[in-house]
Amino acid sequence: MQRVEILQGDITTLHVDVVVNAANEWMLGGGGVDGAIHQAAGPRLLEACRQVPEVAPGVRCPTGECRITPGFDLPARHVIHTVGPVWRGGASGEPDLLASCYQNSLATARGHGLVSIAFPAISCGVYGYPWRGAAAVARQSLEAFLAGDSRLQRVVLVAFEESLHRVLRDTF
Ligand code: APR
């Protein structure tokens, strides 16, 4: 797909306008890519996340939505924190919620005039989303968005695991 690159590696090293974080609803860090991004961005990122207003007790970002902060010590200028669905078998709205993560993150990037964005495999770690299904949702979401957009120049999908990298390459 034009403008889309599939890479294997560590998203925190990428020089893009914005990296997307697979966060949780309270936005105060965690393991996986969330931990790696907080580690690389430094403590100011956690402080910025704390400043994001709660929309319900303990919830700064509901599942499927996103919030933007600076990137601080990251090479990326910004971080878009999005919350993917926990996989519960597929009949609990997981595909639509995952698609919302991609759509909302892309729209937020565009709204801020950002032209390059990198995504991790949202929900594909601790949240247990099957990789092939998640890759198909990512593809559909990117296709739909890019068909109506000419400003975004570069979208990078980053797989940490080699096996996930293969799934993404097969899908795109
Ligand atoms: N760069 C790119 N991808 C990474 C990195 C990294 N540095 N570190 C981990 N990943 C990959 C994982 O291997 C997985 O394929 O990101 C994908 C998403 O996995 P998770 O980080 O577990 O995210 P998710 O499944 O959405 O679960 C979110 O995990 O860390 C917590 O706070 C987070 O509670 C939230 C939950």
Side-chain angles (χ1 to χ4, degrees):
M1 199 187 299
Q2 269 192 335
R3 294 185 271 166
V4 177
E5 284 169 51
I6 312 294
L7 293 182
Q8 188 192 351
D10 179 358
I11 200 169
T12 66
T13 65
L14 295 184
H15 292 258
V16 284
D17 287 345
V18 56
V19 294
V20 176
N21 182 18
N24 53 53
E25 290 191 331
W26 41 102
M27 277 182 70
L28 296 179
V33 72
D34 196 3
I37 285 174
H38 275 273
Q39 175 88 35
R44 287 177 296 168
L45 181 60
L46 185 57
E47 210 30 64
C49 287
R50 273 191 214 287
Q51 303 301 319
V52 173
E54 293 185 12
V55 294
V59 177
R60 292 182 177 76
C61 182
T63 301
E65 296 188 15
C66 69
R67 302 289 185 267
I68 189 167
T69 67
F72 299 106
D73 297 340
L74 285 169
R77 285 193 286 134
H78 302 272
V79 179
I80 288 175
H81 308 258
T82 191
V83 182
V86 175
W87 181 258
R88 294 195 168 90
S92 303
E94 294 93 332
D96 286 348
L97 287 166
L98 185 59
S100 293
C101 290
Y102 284 97
Q103 288 154 4
N104 286 326
S105 298
L106 291 162
T108 298
R110 183 171 57 191
H112 283 76
L114 309 178
V115 299
S116 57
I117 183 168
F119 285 94
I122 302 162
S123 286
C124 289
V126 175
Y127 282 0
Y129 206 111
W131 288 355
R132 288 197 180 276
V137 169
R139 189 189 160 106
Q140 285 158 12
S141 307
L142 292 182
E143 244 169 9
F145 185 88
L146 292 173
D149 170 88
S150 55
R151 277 185 284 176
L152 209 54
Q153 290 168 8
R154 185 178 178 218
V155 180
V156 187
L157 297 184
V158 184
F160 202 54
E161 301 88 349
E162 196 190 330
S163 42
L164 178 55
H165 182 239
R166 268 200 303 274
V167 169
L168 287 176
R169 292 197 74 96
D170 288 350
T171 307
F172 278 82

